[in-house]
Amino acid sequence: MTITPIGYLFFGSIAFGITLMVGVSRRWSKDGKPAGIVANLFFGLVLVCISTLFFMLSFFGAKAVYEMVTFPKYEATIISFESEWEEFTRTDSDGRSYTEDVLMHTPMLQFTDETGRIITQEGNIRSGAEPVIGDTVTVGYRRGRGLQVISLASIGLYTALFVMLLILGFILTKVLFFVLGRKSKGLDAFGSFLLVYIVIGGSMLFMLAAMTYGVFSYFQPGSDMPLWVMLVCAFFTLTLVLAFAGMFVATKNAKRKRSTS
C-alpha cells in the first residue's frame, strides 16, 4: 500500500494532536491536577480533530486559492444546473438546534479554452440561490484539473476558511505554549484581536453587508420584497453603523488614555 503526501499529512496531523494531548496530560500531573482517563480521552479527541482540521484545511485551502490565482481565466456561461436537497443544522434565537432542508444548486458551465476546445464542467461552488441560465462567470481552469469559480461567493468562502484557520491555529498554538510551559503576551494580544476584531467585528461586517444588500434589493426593478422586510434591514443597517462608530470611538479613546498615562 502506497501512502500519498496527503496521507502522510493526515496521519501526521493526528500524531501532532496525540502528542499535544500527552504533553497536556503531563502538565496537568505536574501541576497537581491530574485528569481522569475519560477527560484525557475526550480532550485528546478534541485536539486530534482540531489538528486534523487545521492541517488538512490549510493544505486544500491553499491549493484551491493557488489554483484560483494562477490558472488561466475564462468567461464561462451557465448552461444548466443540478439541484439537490441537503439537510443543514441551524440554531434559533433561543439557542435550540434544528434541522432544515435546503435546495442547493450546482451550475453546469461551458467555455472555450485557448486551444479552441469547448469545456463543459460543473462549478465547484454550490449555492442556495438558483443560477440563471445564460449568465457568465469567471473561472480558472487548467487542462486535467477542476474548475475554480471566481466570484464573490468563492472569495467569501475562502475568507471564512482563512478566519477559521486563524482560530484553529491560535488554539493549537495556545495548547503548545501550555505544554512547553511558556507564556506569551503577544499571543494573548493576538487572541484578543482575533476575538474582537476578526470574529465579532467580521460577523458584524457580514451582517451589515447583508442588511445593506437587502435595502438595495428592495429598490431594484421587479423586486417583490415586502416593505416591512426592507424596513427591518434598514433598522439593522443603521444599528450596525452606529455600533461600528461606537467601537471606533471607544478604541480611539482607549489609545489616547494609554498614550497619556
Side-chain angles (χ1 to χ4, degrees):
M1 182 179 65
T2 303
I3 301 178
T4 63
I6 298 177
Y8 282 113
L9 179 63
F10 175 74
F11 290 115
S13 63
I14 293 177
F16 181 73
I18 295 174
T19 303
L20 283 182
M21 183 57 245
V22 173
V24 170
S25 180
R26 289 180 176 177
R27 278 301 307 273
W28 282 342
S29 298
K30 288 182 180 180
D31 294 341
K33 300 177 181 178
I37 296 178
V38 175
N40 277 317
L41 289 176
F42 175 76
F43 196 63
L45 179 62
V46 171
L47 282 176
V48 168
C49 291
I50 292 177
S51 175
T52 305
L53 279 174
F54 175 76
F55 288 106
M56 298 304 292
L57 289 178
S58 295
F59 173 80
F60 287 108
K63 177 175 177 291
V65 172
Y66 173 79
E67 292 177 349
M68 185 176 68
V69 172
T70 61
F71 279 8
K73 307 300 187 295
Y74 303 96
E75 289 297 316
T77 303
I78 300 175
I79 60 173
S80 64
F81 59 88
E82 294 183 357
S83 303
E84 184 179 358
W85 289 99
E86 291 191 9
E87 189 176 89
F88 291 87
T89 301
R90 305 188 186 279
T91 304
D92 60 19
S93 57
D94 296 325
R96 293 190 295 264
S97 298
Y98 65 96
T99 58
E100 181 180 10
D101 290 330
V102 178
L103 188 61
M104 302 295 291
H105 309 282
T106 304
M108 183 67 68
L109 305 173
Q110 188 175 86
F111 63 95
T112 303
D113 68 6
E114 72 275 5
T115 64
R117 294 188 310 128
I118 297 178
I119 308 297
T120 303
Q121 284 192 21
E122 282 188 348
N124 65 320
I125 300 294
R126 307 185 73 184
S127 172
E130 184 174 308
V132 178
I133 296 177
D135 279 1
T136 58
V137 296
T138 302
V139 298
Y141 173 76
R142 183 170 291 164
R143 189 171 182 178
R145 309 294 289 272
L147 289 180
Q148 289 289 338
V149 176
I150 304 173
S151 63
L152 288 177
S154 61
I155 294 174
L157 177 64
Y158 293 133
T159 301
L161 176 61
F162 176 72
V163 173
M164 179 180 178
L165 290 175
L166 279 179
I167 297 172
L168 295 177
F170 171 77
I171 295 173
L172 291 176
T173 306
K174 192 72 175 176
V175 174
L176 180 61
F177 272 46
F178 173 75
V179 170
L180 298 176
R182 296 178 55 186
K183 294 182 179 180
S184 173
K185 292 183 178 180
L187 183 62
D188 293 338
F190 175 75
S192 299
F193 171 83
L194 185 65
L195 175 63
V196 176
Y197 291 98
I198 303 299
V199 177
I200 298 178
S203 299
M204 291 174 61
L205 189 61
F206 175 78
M207 290 179 61
L208 176 61
M211 295 299 103
T212 303
Y213 180 76
V215 175
F216 173 77
S217 299
Y218 176 79
F219 295 98
Q220 296 305 299
S223 173
D224 57 353
M225 180 185 294
L227 176 62
W228 69 269
V229 175
M230 187 277 290
L231 293 176
V232 170
C233 291
F235 170 77
F236 281 107
T237 298
L238 178 61
T239 302
L240 289 168
V241 169
L242 293 176
F244 274 115
M247 290 176 60
F248 174 77
V249 172
T251 303
K252 189 174 181 180
N253 290 338
K255 289 182 179 179
R256 184 181 302 171
K257 290 181 179 179
R258 285 197 299 266
S259 62
T260 55
S261 60

